[in-house]
């Protein structure tokens, strides 16, 4: 069955520390990959996405992610986190086709950044 | 951001009640979705609609009944729910397989 695994469930960092959140998926077909973020009290927002082309994609707020096809991974990185990055982060794989998507989500990673 | 709106934002209901959740998208998308977000579990896809036609029902119990009267509106009708159905219910929309945009969700508590 298709699945998405996020290795870190709860991460605590100090401001200016570097961040890397792991995401692996199990699906043999063509995938579109996403990272969503949910800030406290807010709705899910798109952070970045990969559909094709350059496997290193840049998103909002200085985040980037690298798609490594051979490792079925799509890890999220940020060189220097800020207190405002405190949120829950979700990796998702879209295995849909035709007129609709089908997002499979990871369990989420709660990031707490200490000022 | 008001691309996808959901009402009500909070709902408390008894197991014998009937209630409905409403979602509206203002993005001109052709697909709409219902997800369930429970504590300690990944978001679960419940239903998918494309151009008002249901294309996926992810083994959801019949006490949840979706309705999509047009491409901008999506409902989730609730009937005789169980306490374990308490969760955050999220609506999303997309243009085909492109990025899904989410609403703020309805926090449902079943007593």
């Amino acid at each position: 069955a298709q699945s998405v695994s996020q290795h870190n469930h709860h991460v605590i960092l100090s401001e200016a520390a570097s961040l890397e959140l792991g995401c692996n998926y199990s699906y043999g077909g063509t995938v579109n990959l996403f990272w969503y973020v949910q800030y406290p009290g807010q709705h899910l927002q798109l952070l970045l996405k990969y559909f094709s082309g350059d496997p290193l994609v840049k998103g909002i707020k200085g985040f980037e992610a690298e798609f490594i096809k051979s490792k079925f991974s799509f890890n999220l990185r940020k060189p220097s986190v800020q207190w405002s990055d405190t949120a829950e982060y979700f990796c998702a794989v879209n295995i849909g086709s035709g007129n609709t998507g089908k997002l499979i989500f990871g369990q989420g990673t709660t990031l707490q950044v200490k000022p | 951001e008001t691309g996808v709106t959901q009402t009500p934002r909070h709902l408390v209901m008894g197991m014998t009640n009937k209630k409905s959740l409403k979602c509206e998208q203002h993005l001109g998308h052709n697909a709409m979705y219902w997800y369930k977000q429970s504590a300690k579990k990944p978001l679960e896809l419940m239903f998918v609609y494309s151009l008002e036609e249901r294309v996926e029902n992810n083994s959801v119990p019949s006490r949840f009944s979706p309705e999509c009267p047009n491409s901008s509106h999506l409902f989730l009708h609730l009937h005789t729910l169980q306490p374990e159905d308490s969760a955050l219910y999220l609506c999303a929309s997309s243009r085909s397989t492109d990025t899904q945009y989410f609403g703020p969700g309805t926090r449902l508590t079943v007593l």
Side-chain angles (χ1 to χ4, degrees):
Chain A
Q2 304 94 356
S3 66
V4 176
S5 174
Q6 292 182 237
H7 316 300
N8 321 96
H9 297 298
H10 197 161
V11 174
I12 302 174
L13 295 173
S14 298
E15 276 194 313
S18 64
L19 170 72
E20 179 159 3
L21 301 182
C23 173
N24 286 89
Y25 64 92
S26 62
Y27 181 67
T30 302
V31 294
N32 296 333
L33 298 158
F34 302 83
W35 276 97
Y36 282 87
V37 60
Q38 191 169 30
Y39 297 104
Q42 297 188 28
H43 60 274
L44 272 170
Q45 303 171 41
L46 179 69
L47 202 54
L48 47 77
K49 63 183 180 184
Y50 172 80
F51 278 25
S52 64
D54 189 343
L56 184 63
V57 292
K58 296 190 183 300
I60 61 172
K61 302 185 180 184
F63 285 90
E64 65 179 30
E66 185 175 13
F67 170 53
I68 303 180
K69 188 175 182 180
S70 60
K71 294 185 178 180
F72 297 88
S73 70
F74 191 54
N75 293 352
L76 181 70
R77 299 194 290 250
K78 185 171 183 177
S80 176
V81 296
Q82 300 173 312
W83 176 78
S84 58
D85 293 325
T86 295
E88 190 154 16
Y89 292 80
F90 297 91
C91 180
V93 169
N94 188 349
I95 61 171
S97 61
N99 285 325
T100 59
K102 181 176 180 178
L103 282 180
I104 309 295
F105 279 88
Q107 202 157 0
T109 297
T110 301
L111 172 64
Q112 183 181 352
V113 180
K114 294 184 174 180
Chain B
E1 183 178 319
T2 57
V4 181
T5 58
Q6 290 186 243
T7 54
R9 295 292 306 276
H10 300 271
L11 178 62
V12 179
M13 58 187 290
M15 289 191 286
T16 58
N17 291 157
K18 289 185 182 180
K19 296 286 184 183
S20 295
L21 309 185
K22 179 182 176 182
C23 174
E24 186 172 357
Q25 60 100 357
H26 312 272
L27 301 169
H29 289 162
N30 63 327
M32 297 188 77
Y33 311 81
W34 279 116
Y35 288 86
K36 178 182 179 182
Q37 187 177 24
S38 306
K40 309 295 184 186
K41 293 177 70 176
L43 274 83
E44 302 169 63
L45 179 63
M46 301 175 70
F47 299 104
V48 180
Y49 276 83
S50 171
L51 300 171
E52 305 142 45
E53 180 183 339
R54 191 191 311 178
V55 297
E56 179 124 4
N57 173 350
N58 242 18
S59 303
V60 179
S62 59
R63 57 186 183 269
F64 295 91
S65 174
E67 178 190 1
C68 188
N70 55 62
S71 59
S72 299
H73 294 87
L74 184 66
F75 295 89
L76 187 63
H77 304 299
L78 314 172
H79 177 50
T80 59
L81 294 192
Q82 305 298 311
E84 60 265 28
D85 296 322
S86 298
L88 182 68
Y89 288 85
L90 295 171
C91 174
S93 71
S94 72
R95 183 179 301 116
S96 299
T97 58
D98 207 336
T99 304
Q100 292 185 24
Y101 291 85
F102 286 81
T106 295
R107 174 70 62 186
L108 174 68
T109 303
V110 181
L111 302 176

